[in-house]
Amino acid sequence: MVAMEAVKVVYCCSVLLLLVTVNGYGAWASQLSIEHEGDIYDCVDINKQPSLDHPLLKNHRVQMKPSGSFSESTIDDDDDESLEIGLGEGCPVGTVPILRAPKEDLEAASKQDLFKSYAGHGWGFFRAEEQTIVKPNSKHYGVQAHLNVYNPKVIPQEEIYVPQSNVVIKLFFGDYGSGVGAGWAVITSRTVWYQKEVDPYTYNSNSTRFHAFWLVGYIQKYCANTKCQGFIQVSRKIPVGMKISNISTYHGKQYDIKLTIYKDPKRGYWWLLYGRKDEAVGYWPTNLFKNETISHAKQALWGGTAAGHDPFPPMGSGHNPEEGYGSACYISRMKVLETSRGKFTDVKTDMLTKFETSPTCYTVGGQGYSKNWGYRIFVGGAGGLCGL
């Protein structure tokens, strides 16, 4: 029995067939909107979605699905804790759900450089991960895992930085720090004190969200979900940035989400797949990384990050890995794709190295393989005063 997320979906037909704006929001035409957990998604023509306005994606033709398919061995049909999410029946054929945001927020997000914000003034950006060991011949074409879903408390801050906590999988392409990643995240609201406005990357809630992001290291650019242009949404039912309702509880019911990132062997795009059936959510076109060679990734990563001002937010469940299942946040069935047309395989201990930027606050532990869980780790910590 697969855990299905309780979904309340309200469909609202617009009065006009084409709307340039909706109550001052958005910059695209919409015929239908969907309300989910307080958010509004506009069903946008898939070939007119905001990401296609990116200057590097002019004349880009949307690929509807990845070429080829996975071996059945990658599908875990017996997983009772895997969480399926979505917007009910989703948007009509030919359209995709885009989270409604003010037009000025989208414009501001496309201009911001977040890498330069992660230092100084009591600000901290922390990572606790397992990473594949980088070797001269390291080549990864995909990464996969099940991520235990929690809702750590992230307190809004009046700072020039974005408070957040997340658990993700990532692929890094080379020496510049460029890459793609996905997982779940709590990115709460913050006020930009010198501008007196809400940051465009944040959300007005402490909700856990399905999170996808990409980084271009040589220009120090970070983009998340559809709040800036780049990620091409193709799923009618599962939008990046959507709230996840079913949350694991300490010593209670546990939920996880299965995510896969892999390179399409034909087109070369990097695809994000969701769930046991590997539904295609969307992809990152290679054009986004035009000045880098990304024929493959050099490193795969699984773990958590936390960022903010002291006292720093919790990571994962907020409990240490030593507490184990039901208490600490797990990442299980960790796999990599090491040949472009091969199969995902379980990682092994001798492939990995631990990376912790502040082990007094956030750690990785409990590493090991079992038949039921594949290769699994626990990650997290309470945060607090981390010695900056």
Side-chain angles (χ1 to χ4, degrees), residues 3-133:
M4 295 296 293
E5 184 180 18
V7 177
K8 178 183 178 182
V9 178
V10 178
Y11 291 86
C12 306
C13 292
S14 57
V15 176
L16 300 177
L17 291 179
L18 294 175
L19 298 176
V20 176
T21 60
V22 184
N23 295 329
Y25 288 77
W28 46 81
S30 178
Q31 290 179 278
L32 185 74
S33 61
I34 301 174
E35 181 181 356
H36 175 260
E37 300 289 334
D39 291 334
I40 298 177
Y41 295 86
D42 292 309
C43 294
V44 179
D45 185 327
I46 192 170
N47 294 307
K48 295 180 181 180
Q49 58 182 290
S51 279
L52 294 175
D53 291 330
H54 192 291
L56 296 177
L57 299 180
K58 295 296 183 182
N59 302 317
H60 178 82
R61 295 187 63 182
V62 175
Q63 184 180 357
M64 299 303 297
K65 62 181 180 179
S67 60
S69 61
F70 286 127
S71 164
E72 293 181 357
S73 62
T74 68
I75 301 177
D76 303 298
D77 287 320
D78 58 347
D79 180 19
D80 290 337
E81 296 175 337
S82 182
L83 178 62
E84 301 300 305
I85 62 175
L87 299 176
E89 294 300 316
C91 287
V93 174
T95 66
V96 291
I98 303 295
L99 181 63
R100 185 181 297 180
K103 180 180 178 181
E104 57 269 22
D105 278 9
L106 299 175
E107 293 173 347
S110 66
K111 299 175 183 178
Q112 287 203 0
D113 294 333
L114 294 192
F115 284 174
K116 296 179 180 178
S117 302
Y118 290 152
H121 307 289
W123 172 259
F125 180 72
F126 305 98
R127 294 162 59 185
E129 301 168 340
E130 283 284 345
Q131 309 173 343
T132 55
I133 298 171

Side-chain angles (χ1 to χ4, degrees), residues 13 15 39 63 112 121 149 191 199 212 215 263 300 311 335 373-374:
C13 292
V15 176
D39 291 334
Q63 184 180 357
Q112 287 203 0
H121 307 289
V149 180
T191 300
D199 181 81
L215 312 93
K263 182 182 179 181
K335 298 181 179 182
W373 293 96

Side-chain angles (χ1 to χ4, degrees), residues 16-330:
L16 300 177
L17 291 179
L18 294 175
L19 298 176
V20 176
T21 60
V22 184
N23 295 329
Y25 288 77
W28 46 81
S30 178
Q31 290 179 278
L32 185 74
S33 61
I34 301 174
E35 181 181 356
H36 175 260
E37 300 289 334
D39 291 334
I40 298 177
Y41 295 86
D42 292 309
C43 294
V44 179
D45 185 327
I46 192 170
N47 294 307
K48 295 180 181 180
Q49 58 182 290
S51 279
L52 294 175
D53 291 330
H54 192 291
L56 296 177
L57 299 180
K58 295 296 183 182
N59 302 317
H60 178 82
R61 295 187 63 182
V62 175
Q63 184 180 357
M64 299 303 297
K65 62 181 180 179
S67 60
S69 61
F70 286 127
S71 164
E72 293 181 357
S73 62
T74 68
I75 301 177
D76 303 298
D77 287 320
D78 58 347
D79 180 19
D80 290 337
E81 296 175 337
S82 182
L83 178 62
E84 301 300 305
I85 62 175
L87 299 176
E89 294 300 316
C91 287
V93 174
T95 66
V96 291
I98 303 295
L99 181 63
R100 185 181 297 180
K103 180 180 178 181
E104 57 269 22
D105 278 9
L106 299 175
E107 293 173 347
S110 66
K111 299 175 183 178
Q112 287 203 0
D113 294 333
L114 294 192
F115 284 174
K116 296 179 180 178
S117 302
Y118 290 152
H121 307 289
W123 172 259
F125 180 72
F126 305 98
R127 294 162 59 185
E129 301 168 340
E130 283 284 345
Q131 309 173 343
T132 55
I133 298 171
V134 178
K135 300 178 181 179
N137 61 344
S138 294
K139 292 183 180 181
H140 300 302
Y141 298 89
V143 61
Q144 186 180 89
H146 289 239
L147 309 178
N148 195 193
V149 180
Y150 273 93
N151 180 240
K153 183 68 173 180
V154 180
I155 301 173
Q157 299 171 349
E158 292 189 0
E159 294 290 340
I160 61 174
Y161 311 118
V162 182
Q164 61 179 283
S165 180
N166 58 58
V167 173
V168 298
I169 57 175
K170 292 183 281 187
L171 287 170
F172 281 155
F173 298 137
D175 299 328
Y176 296 102
S178 298
V180 295
W184 60 260
V186 178
I187 306 177
T188 192
S189 62
R190 61 109 184 206
T191 300
V192 185
W193 63 268
Y194 58 89
Q195 295 176 337
K196 302 301 181 184
E197 63 184 25
V198 174
D199 181 81
Y201 279 106
T202 64
Y203 300 92
N204 294 320
S205 70
N206 199 67
S207 301
T208 301
R209 294 177 180 270
F210 176 34
H211 186 60
F213 59 93
W214 56 278
L215 312 93
V216 180
Y218 70 93
I219 60 171
Q220 297 188 322
K221 182 68 177 180
Y222 170 94
C223 279
N225 302 324
T226 54
K227 288 210 165 189
C228 67
Q229 300 156 353
F231 182 82
I232 304 297
Q233 175 80 33
V234 300
S235 174
R236 298 188 296 112
K237 300 179 180 180
I238 304 177
V240 291
M242 76 172 296
K243 292 179 182 177
I244 302 175
S245 299
N246 287 356
I247 303 297
S248 304
T249 56
Y250 183 65
H251 287 173
K253 177 66 176 175
Q254 301 298 302
Y255 297 98
D256 64 40
I257 56 176
K258 179 192 175 187
L259 297 179
T260 302
I261 299 173
Y262 92 109
K263 182 182 179 181
D264 185 313
K266 184 176 181 180
R267 297 283 185 89
Y269 303 153
W270 293 87
W271 279 86
L272 172 60
L273 312 180
Y274 181 92
R276 299 178 311 117
K277 296 181 179 180
D278 296 319
E279 177 168 347
V281 177
Y283 62 91
W284 297 272
T286 52
N287 309 52
L288 299 174
F289 311 94
K290 66 173 185 175
N291 290 338
E292 297 185 57
T293 300
I294 54 169
S295 59
H296 58 271
K298 289 189 175 181
Q299 189 174 46
L301 306 90
W302 302 259
T305 63
H309 198 281
D310 57 354
F312 301 104
M315 179 190 295
S317 69
H319 292 264
N320 294 328
E322 291 76 14
E323 295 188 40
Y325 179 83
S327 301
C329 179
Y330 65 80

